[in-house]
């Protein structure tokens, strides 16, 4: 197994220089030709720095733990998480996705702490407590960041107000004279983190008469709902997101219901395919933060672990009227 000493000999530099180059040390100025020479030597020998040794020298790892989502969160959030991972990698962090399906907050905190991450970004599927945050920090986590509708004591909170999405959708329908609104709630487990506040947001709109309508993400479930629509006495549908809205709108049309004359339909997330439908799908556009911005917040929290934890409101929503309403 090649060592840093082997790389130093081949490159004609000191072991310290090898360490500075391969660990991207910012405090030491090293010429670009020397950096290229060290990297070429490491590549030729197949040398890879030892993560544990690096952590011992630095006093912490460069691991950012990202619990793997076990629910279909949709293209909008998938793109956001991909951007986040690229941006963290550019800042020299190693993103580790952890399968946390079925774990409680206490179990998850202990399991994550075993990897000694320097930061944890919890997407909100597992409810963390102040005790869980303390467990992670005792294990070396300089920053714990939670995403969701509420803050957790001791953690930086990235608050994403899903209720605003529902409120914007229902308000748009009411403005169009549609007051009897069916809100499609996914039957799939795990989506309550998004769907419940969206439903409550719709219910908060003055003049809206809201009925929750469970529907699975399938043509069969959409067809069944469309088949009994006439008996529900509703004149509009707000679907959980654009994908559920497209399923339901197609089912309405197959059942002989006209969109928007018989029933207005609005979704959420503003997916491109919604603009390709006929009629074009009205939607709620969600303004997400860039992955680069969130990666910067993580990096700042790691660099300043003693700073006061903060709440960051990261999402805004606006209704985009199109032909389906």
């Amino acid at each position: 197994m090649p060592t840093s000493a082997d790389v130093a000999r081949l490159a004609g530099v000191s072991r310290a220089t090898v360490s500075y180059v391969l660990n991207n040390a910012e405090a030491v100025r090293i010429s670009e030709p020397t950096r290229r020479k060290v990297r070429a030597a490491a590549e030729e020998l197949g040398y890879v720095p030892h993560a544990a040794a690096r952590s011992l020298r630095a006093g912490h790892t460069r691991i950012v733990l990202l619990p793997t989502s076990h629910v279909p969160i949709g293209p909008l959030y998938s793109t956001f998480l991909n951007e986040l991972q690229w941006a963290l990698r550019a800042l020299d962090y190693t993103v580790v996705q952890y399968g946390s399906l079925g774990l409680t907050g206490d179990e998850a905190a202990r399991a994550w702490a075993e990897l000694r991450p320097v930061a944890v970004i919890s997407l909100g599927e597992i409810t963390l407590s102040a005790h869980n945050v303390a467990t992670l920090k005792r294990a070396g986590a300089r920053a714990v960041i939670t995403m969701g509708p509420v803050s957790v004591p001791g953690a930086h909170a990235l608050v994403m107000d899903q209720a605003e999405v529902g409120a914007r959708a229902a308000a748009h329908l009411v403005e169009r004279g549609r007051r009897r609104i069916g809100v499609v709630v996914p039957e799939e487990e795990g989506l309550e983190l998004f769907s419940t506040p969206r439903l409550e947001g719709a219910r908060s709109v003055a003049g809206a008469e809201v009925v929750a309508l469970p529907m699975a993400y399938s043509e069969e479930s959409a067809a069944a709902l469309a088949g009994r629509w006439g008996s529900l006495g509703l004149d509009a549908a707000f679907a959980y997101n654009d994908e559920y809205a497209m399923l339901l709108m197609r089912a309405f049309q197959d059942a002989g219901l006209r969109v928007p004359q018989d029933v207005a339909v609005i979704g959420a997330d503003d997916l491109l395919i919604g603009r390709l439908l006929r009629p074009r799908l009205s939607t709620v556009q969600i303004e997400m933060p860039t992955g680069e911005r969130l990666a910067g917040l993580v990096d700042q929290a790691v660099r300043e672990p003693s700073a006061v934890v903060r709440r960051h409101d990261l999402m805004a929503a606006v209704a985009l009227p199109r032909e389906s309403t």
Side-chain angles (χ1 to χ4, degrees):
M1 183 181 298
T3 66
S4 60
D6 299 326
V7 176
R9 279 193 295 271
L10 182 59
V13 299
S14 68
R15 290 185 65 180
T17 298
V18 171
S19 177
Y20 293 145
V21 171
L22 298 184
N23 289 309
N24 297 316
E26 299 177 356
V28 180
R29 297 187 61 181
I30 298 174
S31 68
E32 189 55 34
T34 299
R35 289 181 181 275
R36 287 198 295 268
K37 188 162 53 175
V38 170
R39 293 190 183 110
E43 179 70 23
E44 180 178 338
L45 294 172
Y47 172 75
V48 178
H50 196 292
R54 179 186 181 188
S55 299
L56 286 173
R57 288 192 298 271
H60 57 81
T61 70
R62 297 291 292 177
I63 293 175
V64 175
L65 192 143
L66 185 64
T68 302
S69 172
H70 58 269
V71 297
I73 57 177
L76 179 68
Y77 291 90
S78 295
T79 299
F80 166 66
L81 292 175
N82 288 340
E83 289 179 355
L84 171 61
Q85 292 182 70
W86 277 106
L88 286 170
R89 186 68 191 92
L91 292 171
D92 196 34
Y93 291 100
T94 298
V95 179
V96 174
Q97 293 188 325
Y98 195 106
S100 304
L101 180 62
L103 297 181
T104 65
D106 289 344
E107 292 168 338
R110 288 195 297 268
W112 300 343
E114 290 180 2
L115 296 180
R116 299 296 190 268
V118 72
V120 174
I121 304 175
S122 174
L123 301 180
E125 294 176 10
I126 294 177
T127 302
L128 297 180
S129 65
H131 173 71
N132 300 149
V133 173
T135 297
L136 290 166
K137 289 188 173 182
R138 282 195 299 270
R142 294 190 167 198
V144 178
I145 299 98
T146 61
M147 296 176 64
V150 297
S151 304
V152 179
H156 292 270
L158 307 178
V159 179
M160 307 179 79
D161 186 6
Q162 298 294 329
E164 185 179 355
V165 178
R168 292 288 180 269
H172 168 68
L173 292 171
V174 169
E175 288 170 3
R176 292 295 174 97
R178 310 296 181 116
R179 298 182 177 277
R180 301 186 305 278
I181 304 168
V183 175
V184 171
V185 179
E187 292 183 350
E188 286 71 24
E189 292 185 7
L191 290 177
E192 300 87 358
L193 178 68
F194 299 91
S195 63
T196 298
R198 290 185 183 188
L199 172 62
E200 294 307 314
R203 284 176 168 159
S204 71
V205 173
E209 302 171 19
V210 171
V211 177
L213 300 173
M215 188 185 99
Y217 187 62
S218 70
E219 290 182 283
E220 294 77 13
S221 184
L225 179 55
R228 62 187 181 91
W229 191 264
S231 65
L232 297 174
L234 304 174
D235 57 15
F238 163 47
Y240 164 69
N241 66 12
D242 285 351
E243 294 174 299
Y244 284 82
M246 288 184 279
L247 268 175
L248 186 57
M249 191 162 78
R250 181 71 263 177
F252 282 149
Q253 292 168 335
D254 289 343
L257 292 168
R258 297 170 301 164
V259 178
Q261 293 90 336
D262 299 324
V263 53
V265 179
I266 187 170
D269 291 357
D270 189 24
L271 300 185
L272 173 61
I273 193 171
R275 291 169 245 167
L276 305 180
L277 297 180
R278 296 297 181 271
R280 293 176 177 85
L281 179 65
S282 296
T283 189
V284 177
Q285 183 184 64
I286 300 171
E287 299 175 3
M288 295 281 290
T290 64
E292 185 175 0
R293 179 189 172 195
L294 178 51
L297 291 175
V298 172
D299 187 52
Q300 182 180 5
V302 168
R303 293 172 180 272
E304 303 172 8
S306 60
V308 176
V309 295
R310 297 174 181 172
R311 170 188 169 120
H312 304 270
D313 293 301
L314 292 183
M315 194 181 77
V318 59
L320 296 181
R322 297 194 183 108
E323 297 161 3
S324 68
T325 55

